[in-house]
Amino acid sequence: MLVQPAYTSTTCSDRFGSAKRLELCERTFRCPDCGYTACRDRNAARVILVVAERGHSSVENVRQAGHLPRVSGSVAV
């Protein structure tokens, strides 16, 4: 399954909420809501993995579905 890259670097892979847009020079992702911090690319990779595992093609589809399983407060990946 191909996952559209749109919004993968601005979506928190821990809570799957939307965060601020990152400039290309910003290499660290920080979620303003839950405080999750990770390498920008690692966070985007986790988001892509969750989207693909759910059989969706974009972040927006997963956000609307609202069926992400949680493990200890995190998205299971």
Side-chain angles (χ1 to χ4, degrees):
M1 157 133 329
L2 294 176
V3 175
Q4 297 171 7
Y7 308 112
T8 57
S9 64
T10 60
T11 299
C12 177
S13 65
D14 192 48
R15 299 283 184 176
F16 235 76
S18 189
K20 75 172 184 102
R21 182 168 190 254
L22 298 173
E23 296 297 323
L24 287 177
C25 63
E26 294 180 80
R27 303 310 307 159
T28 303
F29 174 88
R30 288 183 187 87
C31 179
D33 295 329
C34 70
Y36 175 75
T37 302
C39 166
R40 170 195 185 128
D41 296 335
R42 183 178 194 86
N43 179 69
R46 285 177 42 133
V47 170
I48 290 168
L49 220 125
V50 170
V51 171
E53 284 179 340
R54 303 307 181 272
H56 297 283
S57 61
S58 75
V59 171
E60 292 300 317
N61 294 339
V62 175
R63 280 191 194 142
Q64 292 170 3
H67 65 278
L68 297 173
R70 302 265 176 204
V71 176
S72 302
S74 299
V75 174
V77 290

